[in-house]
Amino acid sequence: MIANRAVYPSLRDKRVIVTGGGSGIGAALVEGFVDQGARVVFVDRSEEPSRELVDRLSADAAVPPVFYQLDLRDLDVLAETMRAAIATLGGVDVLVNNAASDDRHSPHDVTPDYWDDRIAVNLRHLFFAAQAVIPSMQAQSSGAIVNFGSISWHLGLPELTLYQTAKAGIEGMTRALARELGGDGIRVNTIVPGNVDTPRQRQWYTPEGEAGIVAAQCLTGRIQPADVAAMALFLASDDARMCTGHNYWVDAGWR
């Protein structure tokens, strides 16, 4: 994590749900909120790394995180799991919609079934997770929803047509929900990460490819998951009380 990072007193005891929290950026999100003293429930499809994360964080956490295994494509199970998470936490203050999958594909190979699957993985569940937490947030007249977009569609990267379509839709959904929910004191924002140094991203890039990304950034060095988590912590905190309906970039100036 980031040394000497900001501490947000308003995040202590906040009730937080993170999707895709078992590894990569998601694990940094879970760790970041736990370190702030928040009460965290996270969901992920992969059980082993998620259990390992719970074990690692529980030793020093004021409130250990809670993990639910969930495939977010199953909307019935999603709704049931969100109800269980909200009950476990006694309400919800923050939802971080992080889960996604950037599998490479060619537009020539896309079938209707693959289209539906990729939209379910990368867009649909964000809306229904938000829908699940809105009543609790409305009841307390406050809340923060942080969605995760991607720099990929802004750059028009190859072999990611459906992923980029979904990520573009997330930004539109964020704007729409921010307008719909602002009167209830609920803020909705999108974080747009650049290329983040995670094990998953390393599988797509050679060392030469990574060097090319860094060369295209204004700042040198690889973006770490904790750099992205730092933005999420700010947007979830009361320090960001007047921030809604916008994109917040963590991309080292990649153009």
Side-chain angles (χ1 to χ4, degrees), residues 144-148 170 174 178 187-191 235 240 242-248:
I145 298 172
V146 180
N147 296 321
F148 267 72
I170 288 168
T174 291
R187 300 181 292 104
V188 189
N189 290 293
T190 295
I191 293 176
L235 291 174
M242 298 303 287
C243 298
T244 196
H246 287 291
N247 300 335
Y248 293 84

Side-chain angles (χ1 to χ4, degrees), residues 15-252:
R15 300 159 297 178
V16 180
I17 299 174
V18 178
T19 70
S23 61
I25 294 172
L29 291 165
V30 171
E31 183 172 358
F33 279 107
V34 167
D35 284 352
Q36 296 281 340
R39 299 163 56 197
V40 181
V41 169
F42 72 97
V43 301
D44 200 285
R45 186 173 62 175
S46 299
E47 183 169 11
E48 184 175 352
S50 298
R51 297 292 183 195
E52 290 174 354
L53 179 65
V54 170
D55 290 344
R56 178 169 65 83
L57 297 182
S58 293
D60 299 320
V63 183
V66 175
F67 163 62
Y68 288 96
Q69 187 175 23
L70 170 63
D71 186 331
L72 288 158
R73 291 174 294 187
D74 189 327
L75 294 183
D76 290 336
V77 179
L78 168 61
E80 179 183 344
T81 303
M82 293 297 288
R83 286 193 294 270
I86 292 168
T88 295
L89 293 169
V92 60
D93 302 296
V94 179
L95 168 66
V96 185
N97 272 321
N98 163 71
S101 175
D102 60 347
D103 286 356
R104 270 51 175 176
H105 56 270
S106 164
H108 303 291
D109 298 329
V110 172
T111 64
D113 286 343
Y114 188 69
W115 167 279
D116 289 344
D117 182 74
R118 291 299 90 188
I119 295 302
V121 167
N122 291 309
L123 175 60
R124 187 179 67 180
H125 67 83
L126 281 80
F127 176 83
F128 287 100
Q131 185 186 67
V133 302
I134 286 169
S136 180
M137 292 181 176
Q138 286 176 321
Q140 63 200 22
S141 299
S142 67
I145 298 172
V146 180
N147 296 321
F148 267 72
S150 171
I151 197 174
S152 62
W153 80 268
H154 293 274
L155 297 176
L157 299 179
E159 300 184 319
L160 288 167
T161 299
L162 300 190
Y163 179 75
Q164 292 176 150
T165 299
K167 289 298 187 177
I170 288 168
E171 292 186 20
M173 183 176 67
T174 291
R175 295 281 288 177
L177 288 178
R179 175 59 65 185
E180 294 283 352
L181 303 175
D184 296 306
I186 301 169
R187 300 181 292 104
V188 189
N189 290 293
T190 295
I191 293 176
V192 182
N195 189 277
V196 183
D197 185 18
T198 65
R200 178 168 178 80
Q201 288 306 309
R202 289 184 214 120
Q203 75 175 313
W204 301 121
Y205 294 97
T206 64
E208 293 77 16
E210 290 192 0
I213 291 169
V214 173
Q217 296 174 174
C218 297
L219 300 173
T220 60
R222 298 287 275 122
I223 303 166
Q224 298 301 310
D227 298 316
V228 184
M231 179 64 77
L233 297 175
F234 166 70
L235 291 174
S237 76
D238 291 353
D239 293 57
R241 69 184 190 88
M242 298 303 287
C243 298
T244 196
H246 287 291
N247 300 335
Y248 293 84
W249 298 69
V250 187
D251 69 340

